Amino acid sequence: MAERSVASTAPELVLETDAGSTVMSPGRDYHVGRDPLSDIVFDDDRVSWHHAVLRCDHDQWTLADQHSTNGTFADGRRIEEWGVRPGSVIRFGHPTDGPRAVPAGAPEPAPDRPCAVSRPEWTGTFHSPTSVRPLPVRTVRIGRAPDNDLVVDDLIVSRRHAELRTHTDGTYEIDDLGSHNGTFLNGRPVTHAPVGPGDVVGIGHSAFCLVGDELQEYVDTGEVSLDVQELTVAVDGGSKILLDHVSFPVGQKCLLAVVGPSGAGKSTLLNALTGQRPADRGTVLYDGRDLYRDYAELRQRIGLVPQDDILHPQLTVRAALAYAAALRFPQDTAAAERQARVGEVIRELGLEQRAGQPVHSLSGGQRKRVSVALELLTKPSLLFLDEPTSGLDPGMDRSVMTMLRGLADDGRTVIVVTHSVLSLNVCDRLLVLAPGGKVAYYGPPGDALAFFGFEQWPEAFEAFDRDPDRDWAGEYRDSPLHRHYVTEATTQPRHPGPAPVTPTPTPRPCGRAAQLGTLVRRYTAVLAADRTFLLVMIALPFVMGAMARALAGGRLTPDTAMNALLILCVGAVLTGAANAVRELVKERAVYQRERAVGLPRSAYLMSKVVVLGTITVVQAVVLTLVALLGVDLNAPGGRGVLLPPLVEITLAVALLAFTAMMLGLLVSALVRKEEVTMPLLVLLAIVQVVFCGALLPLHGVPGLEQLSWLVPSRWAFGAMAGTVGLSRIVPGDQTADPLFRHSTGVWLLDLGMLVVLSLLCGLAVARLLRRQEPAVMRK
């Protein structure tokens, strides 16, 4: 859309189409075509991508055909260049039934009320309001239920979401009614806050604003733009640049592909655009709104499909989507409403025949469709995908990209990071990143190779490596393509300066207990579907218990007591740690995505603790009973410290197993790959054996004794030794350890330390989970 330097005396022109009216001012060109970034867009296959252009020369508006395939027609005649006459009928692509436009005269004066919010910097949409109503004179209840004063038909909105309250002095206040996904004022979550003129109240996909004597509503229908301005990311103290002043606009209903050689910054760009790792400098504008500043509100409108599947492979397609819907929608959403939305996305993605299959049985392309379906549940306006065609054959690659084309056509902005160049022709725009995170090209995919001067993409990628000193970004910046597709296509004002680094507070979802219940049910279903886990879970306590019973015989004696208690310790540690050591690392992609859309960290962690803790305690009880039921424990006077000896030993083994489970979760939160968990499990078991006190004397040994305090088996073995009076059964320096005493204080100390170590592990896991959250959410 080039600016014209010649002054014009012509009046404004109004071009009326079926989609509405466009007011045209002299001094610039107006492009017509199928390109979503055109000024006048016709979604009709007969219309060329760049079909025609309207311009004003001095005092005359002219319409020029841009060598379109099917032609431009005025009053039934095909034209190449035509002087516009008000009242004539213009057709594009066909003389009789092509998309129609009628030039009119100058527009009528605007009505005496604003058509957008008085502070558009808060919304940035600059759209006309979806609905306008007089300012309320009483309290207005807002929500999804039909009996609200203001009904918002949006599944992420609670049935009773918020109230706009009117005060006697004419001022207003917004009060959140314990909604699931929060109420926002100017992009920030609030429970109650005063609302003034121009303030924007965000509820679901709707925004409400007080303008004059009206309450204006703006609904995010999905047709949004994205403006990326000067994104810069540096590491190592700024010495290494990962993204270098990356800028580009993405229009409504646009499918953008991001390609480039390895290490060019594609993943860094994706993280910056989605808030996972905000840029150090620059701005991301979601339809004019600062994404980083308003992330708490806008996160529900952004879908992200990472390279790793965000699914539990053991669940069926329908079950995986149903659990996701239960977590993302308010707890007051009826089961029938959730099921209906799940059915909609299954049909939209063509998954009807696969709905009852386990996810692990699907092909790579089908699994990717399910991941996309999961994100579509909340009807996001922006959809990001990271390498969705990785590992797919060319046919499936084409199928996935065609699916994304359809999603964009349905009214979404879709951005896909990919290594594949097989199906770039289905995209509207292509962004090519050169090494160093620089923009080497942005524009239509069909013009990219010609711009670089190559015939095949492998040649272009080789050139990036072969000519590292070539100024790829400078060549593009100086080209007409940059001026047309970046400079002139950017509609939002510039927001210079560093990107905000203050974490964005997120609302605390209402009904955490219900979310915890959903997570527990889902996790139980996942474990129940894993037959290998079930087999190991059932067999391990019986095997370890049988070994301990063989060593114990019919009575604990000086020859058997030490080894029997040691095997109980080893069995409890292996049982608890083996249950948990893989559980967080294998679900990392799932957690990161669910946390980004508002899942409480505490609910996720507690679901693991509840399910795994229950399983682990049951296993520990089975282990102890198999090992010692009917065995003469030879306790002093046949009594334990406070309880029967078998009960006390069972309690110690159960607490040890639970603590080992928490330690396993800690290991799982620390590691980056699932493959390293098994060696660490073995190391963990060895440490527990060495420092439990059964093999080495620890009391009075500087360093070793203090280190052993951090080892759960040290305290559990001490509790069991105190119950049976091990120093009496096996007299000696090693069993004279003060932690082995048959006394109430020592026994309670031993068990209490197991509880303390469990809590410390839980706090450490929570802190480690925090590191995996989007940076703009951390607090």
Side-chain angles (χ1 to χ4, degrees):
M1 282 77 79
E3 298 288 341
R4 301 179 64 81
S5 60
V6 179
S8 174
T9 61
E12 291 181 327
L13 180 72
V14 178
L15 192 68
E16 297 177 351
T17 67
D18 292 338
S21 300
T22 301
V23 180
M24 302 179 177
S25 301
R28 55 165 294 193
D29 295 349
Y30 291 83
H31 294 265
V32 182
R34 211 170 69 251
D35 184 350
L37 294 179
S38 298
D39 300 284
I40 301 165
V41 181
F42 290 115
D43 189 12
D44 190 305
D45 290 340
R46 296 171 296 180
V47 178
S48 296
W49 196 255
H50 300 148
H51 195 103
V53 63
L54 275 155
R55 61 171 60 96
C56 186
D57 292 315
H58 301 289
D59 59 354
Q60 175 64 48
W61 284 93
T62 61
L63 173 66
D65 186 83
Q66 297 290 92
H67 307 292
S68 64
T69 302
N70 296 313
T72 303
F73 303 86
D75 296 328
R77 296 184 298 106
R78 184 162 184 163
I79 55 100
E80 296 298 328
E81 186 165 335
W82 176 72
V84 176
R85 295 191 296 273
S88 296
V89 177
I90 305 170
R91 298 277 185 179
F92 300 93
H94 194 276
T96 59
D97 64 353
R100 172 178 173 272
V102 178
E108 294 294 327
D112 190 22
R113 71 167 176 82
C115 64
V117 298
S118 61
R119 295 208 320 225
E121 67 272 14
W122 286 120
T123 62
T125 59
F126 303 101
H127 297 316
S128 296
T130 305
S131 65
V132 177
R133 67 197 74 208
L135 282 178
V137 295
R138 58 180 178 79
T139 296
V140 172
R141 192 173 62 203
I142 307 171
R144 196 178 76 253
D147 59 349
N148 286 288
D149 303 300
L150 207 164
V151 178
V152 180
D153 187 15
D154 186 344
L155 278 179
I156 67 174
V157 174
S158 298
R159 294 181 65 83
R160 306 284 186 271
H161 196 102
E163 286 184 345
L164 182 62
R165 295 178 178 168
T166 305
H167 295 160
T168 55
D169 59 358
T171 60
Y172 293 87
E173 180 183 67
I174 189 70
D175 280 275
D176 185 83
L177 300 179
S179 66
H180 180 80
N181 288 313
T183 301
F184 303 86
L185 181 66
N186 300 327
R188 314 294 284 189
V190 294
T191 53
H192 53 83
V195 180
D199 285 339
V200 176
V201 176
I203 295 177
H205 288 82
S206 296
F208 300 91
C209 185
L210 278 61
V211 179
D213 59 352
E214 295 173 342
L215 178 64
Q216 299 183 358
E217 180 183 7
Y218 301 79
V219 178
D220 186 341
T221 60
E223 297 184 5
V224 300
S225 62
L226 189 73
D227 278 86
V228 180
Q229 299 181 356
E230 303 292 329
L231 291 192
T232 301
V233 175
V235 294
D236 298 336
S239 61
K240 184 177 181 180
I241 304 297
L242 302 182
L243 285 182
D244 191 356
H245 295 87
V246 172
S247 299
F248 58 90
V250 187
Q252 301 175 6
K253 300 169 65 174
C254 181
L255 174 57
L256 166 66
V258 181
V259 301
S262 297
K266 299 187 296 298
S267 296
T268 303
L269 176 62
L270 185 68
N271 289 335
L273 295 180
T274 57
Q276 298 292 315
R277 197 290 190 190
D280 300 314
R281 295 186 62 86
T283 309
V284 181
L285 297 177
Y286 173 101
D287 221 24
R289 300 181 63 176
D290 191 317
L291 176 65
Y292 298 158
R293 184 194 64 204
D294 297 350
Y295 184 84
E297 178 182 355
L298 297 179
R299 62 188 169 84
Q300 291 286 354
R301 309 184 196 180
I302 298 173
L304 172 62
V305 181
Q307 187 171 355
D308 297 326
D309 288 332
I310 48 177
L311 304 160
H312 290 91
Q314 300 88 350
L315 299 177
T316 65
V317 171
R318 189 178 298 278
L321 296 178
Y323 281 120
L327 291 172
R328 298 190 183 194
F329 294 149
Q331 301 305 318
D332 59 17
T333 306
E337 293 179 288
R338 294 197 302 267
Q339 291 169 4
R341 181 58 189 153
V342 168
E344 287 176 10
V345 297
I346 285 176
R347 289 190 296 274
E348 184 175 2
L349 274 299
L351 293 167
E352 297 98 323
Q353 305 301 317
R354 312 291 182 185
Q357 289 185 225
V359 173
H360 68 76
S361 68
L362 303 178
S363 66
Q366 292 165 347
R367 285 199 304 274
K368 196 59 64 177
R369 284 177 179 266
V370 179
S371 294
V372 173
L374 188 149
E375 291 301 304
L376 294 186
L377 287 170
T378 54
K379 298 184 179 180
S381 302
L382 270 178
L383 183 61
F384 295 89
L385 300 100
D386 187 11
E387 301 287 356
T389 61
S390 177
L392 303 184
D393 61 64
M396 195 61 70
D397 180 298
R398 182 73 178 183
S399 174
V400 170
M401 292 301 291
T402 302
M403 172 192 68
L404 299 181
R405 172 72 269 167
L407 293 177
D409 291 339
D410 285 343
R412 303 176 186 89
T413 299
V414 182
I415 298 177
V416 53
V417 173
T418 180
H419 277 102
S420 174
V421 295
L422 298 176
S423 303
L424 296 180
N425 61 310
V426 305
C427 301
D428 301 309
R429 289 289 181 267
L430 175 65
L431 173 66
V432 182
L433 291 177
K438 300 178 180 180
V439 177
Y441 175 82
Y442 180 78
D447 297 341
L449 284 175
F451 172 76
F452 291 128
F454 299 105
E455 295 183 358
Q456 302 293 332
W457 278 107
E459 299 173 2
F461 286 172
E462 288 175 1
F464 286 134
D465 293 330
R466 188 175 59 248
D467 301 326
D469 297 329
R470 181 173 171 181
D471 187 6
W472 300 94
E475 293 177 14
Y476 176 69
R477 193 166 48 247
D478 296 336
S479 71
L481 292 171
H482 179 271
R483 184 172 62 254
H484 182 69
Y485 294 109
V486 178
T487 305
E488 296 175 352
T490 300
T491 59
Q492 300 294 342
R494 289 285 170 179
H495 293 255
V501 296
T502 303
T504 301
T506 53
R508 294 182 176 271
C510 184
R512 287 190 172 211
Q515 282 198 315
L516 175 59
T518 300
L519 289 168
V520 167
R521 291 194 303 274
R522 183 180 69 176
Y523 190 37
T524 302
V526 168
L527 295 181
D530 189 340
R531 295 183 179 180
T532 302
F533 177 84
L534 286 177
L535 181 62
V536 173
M537 180 183 68
I538 294 171
L540 186 58
F542 283 97
V543 172
M544 298 300 297
M547 292 173 59
R549 190 175 191 89
L551 289 172
R555 176 183 171 86
L556 294 185
T557 66
D559 295 328
T560 64
M562 187 80 78
N563 290 334
L565 298 183
L566 176 61
I567 291 298
L568 284 177
C569 277
V570 173
V573 168
L574 284 177
T575 298
N579 286 343
V581 78
R582 298 181 304 126
E583 296 308 298
L584 296 182
V585 65
K586 75 178 184 181
E587 288 188 0
R588 186 154 295 164
V590 176
Y591 170 73
Q592 288 174 336
R593 183 62 199 132
E594 291 183 343
R595 178 66 179 133
V597 295
L599 177 71
R601 185 190 316 143
S602 58
Y604 177 79
L605 179 55
M606 281 303 299
S607 70
K608 301 296 182 186
V609 173
V610 169
V611 176
L612 292 177
T614 301
I615 293 172
T616 299
V617 168
V618 170
Q619 288 176 303
V621 171
V622 172
L623 166 65
T624 310
L625 294 180
V626 170
L628 298 180
L629 186 62
V631 174
D632 182 359
L633 299 179
N634 199 12
R639 296 188 300 270
V641 177
L642 293 174
L643 302 169
L646 183 59
V647 174
E648 288 189 358
I649 291 178
T650 302
L651 183 58
V653 173
L655 272 176
L656 174 58
F658 185 87
T659 308
M661 181 271 295
M662 296 299 296
L663 195 56
L665 287 178
L666 179 59
V667 171
S668 191
L670 277 169
V671 299
R672 294 181 178 273
K673 294 183 179 180
E674 188 177 346
E675 293 79 8
V676 304
T677 57
M678 289 301 106
L680 289 176
L681 176 62
V682 174
L683 178 61
L684 189 64
I686 293 174
V687 169
Q688 301 297 318
V689 170
V690 171
F691 285 95
C692 72
L695 300 181
L696 298 174
L698 299 173
H699 175 64
V701 181
L704 283 182
E705 182 178 19
Q706 289 72 29
L707 185 60
S708 72
W709 295 345
L710 300 176
V711 178
S713 61
R714 167 77 162 135
W715 304 99
F717 190 86
M720 290 188 289
T723 293
V724 301
L726 188 62
S727 60
R728 177 182 54 83
I729 299 173
V730 187
D733 294 338
Q734 187 169 339
T735 58
D737 195 313
L739 294 181
F740 294 180
R741 291 176 186 166
H742 185 81
S743 71
T744 301
V746 173
W747 187 77
L748 290 176
L749 172 65
D750 290 333
L751 296 188
M753 284 303 299
L754 289 173
V755 175
V756 170
L757 290 174
S758 294
L759 292 175
L760 291 176
C761 287
L763 292 174
V765 172
R767 296 295 295 177
L768 290 170
L769 287 176
R770 177 183 175 275
R771 297 190 315 178
Q772 300 158 20
E773 300 171 2
V776 293
M777 290 182 66
R778 296 175 189 167
K779 57 182 185 301

